[in-house]
Amino acid sequence: MRIVIKETRDDTGRWTADYIIGKIKTFAPTAEKPFVLGLPTGSSPMPVYEEWIRRYKAGDISFKNVVTFNMDEYVGIPEDHSESYHAFMYSNLFNHIDIPPENINILDGNAPDLEKVCKDYEAKIKQFGGIELFLGGIGPDGHIAFNEPGSSLASRTRVKTLSYDTILANSRFFDNDMSKVPTQALTVGVGTVMDAREVVIIITGFNKARAVREVIEGGISHMWTVSMLQMHEHAIIACDDAATMELQVESVKYFKEIEEIAHSKMPTR
């Protein structure tokens, strides 16, 4: 697992955005062979999305031959609700780049048969040959997508009941009224994310520091679901200095030195 540590949230976002742009360009996608990209919502990917929009408007990258699959969506709120993940993605990314609408895939939390939606989502990912790269963020408790503590590390896309802590944390988006927060969501599983050929997780802020410690220095545990990435062949965690505050000093030094050596710049001690 590669650990990239940058000074600030914005630095981390720019690095992550540039890294994935490089992957898309190297892949050289076509309409017949698109680059399949998994995407998250939330505050973590915002600097990435902002940089992608900037780079697209500068003519540096096209998303015309990119197919996206989003990680999750609430159950029971309209797609045009201001807090739906459909609305989030269109407002913060899709409306500002050249991705064709038919290339966008987001789980339907209002379908009459939610189990079928989940099975069809997994099938469609396979139809496209799997996800090339999954971008993700994590919660303070180390969960990825809505795979909260206790989720199976082999889980697939499914209906998930949200924990009290998640409902409380998300109430800030619903007028601080917990009664307005959906209690269920559709989410890809840990196994779904692990099937991607590459996974990049962006983690910023001191409130994620304990999760970073558990994921990097701890063992694999279903109580910190993103820790499963320790078993992924091509996983990257990109974080800012604030998110590393609970790591051992030697761990931080080690990972920073590895990056310096990788870029032919021997560290000074």
Side-chain angles (χ1 to χ4, degrees):
M1 187 163 62
R2 180 182 175 189
I3 312 298
V4 176
I5 302 170
K6 297 296 177 181
E7 186 175 350
T8 68
R9 173 181 179 271
D10 288 342
D11 292 337
T12 309
R14 281 190 294 270
W15 183 92
T16 305
D18 188 62
Y19 179 83
I20 298 174
I21 285 173
K23 287 289 180 176
I24 295 171
K25 288 183 174 181
T26 300
F27 190 91
T30 62
E32 294 72 30
K33 189 182 178 183
F35 188 94
V36 184
L37 180 63
L39 295 176
T41 55
S43 58
S44 295
M46 281 302 297
V48 179
Y49 294 163
E50 289 163 4
E51 181 67 5
W52 282 351
I53 293 167
R54 188 188 72 78
R55 296 279 289 275
Y56 162 70
K57 290 182 176 179
D60 188 41
I61 184 66
S62 171
F63 294 87
K64 193 172 182 179
N65 293 316
V66 171
V67 168
T68 62
F69 285 88
N70 261 79
M71 281 189 163
D72 40 28
E73 177 59 288
Y74 286 121
V75 168
I77 62 174
E79 290 182 3
D80 60 358
H81 188 287
S82 61
E83 297 305 329
S84 79
Y85 291 164
H86 278 77
F88 177 97
M89 290 306 303
Y90 278 90
S91 175
N92 292 295
L93 181 63
F94 296 147
N95 286 341
H96 310 285
I97 59 177
D98 63 342
I99 187 169
E102 61 271 20
N103 286 11
I104 297 168
N105 296 279
I106 307 178
L107 287 155
D108 181 1
N110 293 290
D113 189 341
L114 296 177
E115 297 290 343
K116 183 176 186 302
V117 168
C118 296
K119 289 179 181 177
D120 289 350
Y121 208 65
E122 290 276 343
K124 193 168 186 180
I125 290 172
K126 288 182 180 177
Q127 176 189 327
F128 276 97
I131 290 174
E132 194 66 28
L133 187 151
F134 226 130
L135 172 66
I138 67 169
D141 59 3
H143 75 260
I144 184 169
F146 274 123
N147 296 289
E148 299 185 314
S151 295
S152 166
L153 299 180
S155 56
R156 313 302 305 188
T157 303
R158 66 204 187 286
V159 184
K160 190 76 172 65
T161 298
L162 305 184
S163 71
Y164 176 88
D165 285 347
T166 295
I167 294 169
L168 177 62
N170 289 352
S171 66
R172 69 188 189 278
F173 302 118
F174 292 85
D175 303 320
N176 291 309
D177 184 347
M178 291 179 64
S179 68
K180 294 181 181 179
V181 184
T183 59
Q184 288 187 314
L186 304 184
T187 181
V188 298
V190 179
T192 314
V193 176
M194 289 292 290
D195 280 349
R197 283 177 277 280
E198 185 168 9
V199 181
V200 178
I201 304 296
I202 180 169
I203 311 173
T204 57
F206 178 72
N207 67 319
K208 307 287 180 70
R210 185 186 173 196
V212 169
R213 184 190 72 198
E214 295 289 341
V215 169
I216 294 175
E217 295 178 341
I220 295 170
S221 170
H222 67 295
M223 298 306 291
W224 301 86
T225 54
V226 76
S227 66
M228 187 60 176
L229 288 184
Q230 294 176 29
M231 297 295 293
H232 198 284
E233 189 174 6
H234 298 290
I236 297 175
I237 290 180
C239 51
D240 63 0
D241 280 333
T244 69
M245 293 302 289
E246 291 200 22
L247 289 178
Q248 296 182 47
V249 172
E250 276 301 314
S251 295
V252 175
K253 184 187 295 184
Y254 171 79
F255 290 120
K256 286 187 174 182
E257 287 179 354
I258 286 288
E259 287 299 308
E260 290 175 9
I261 292 169
H263 292 87
S264 302
K265 181 179 165 186
M266 288 298 290
T268 57
R269 286 184 179 269

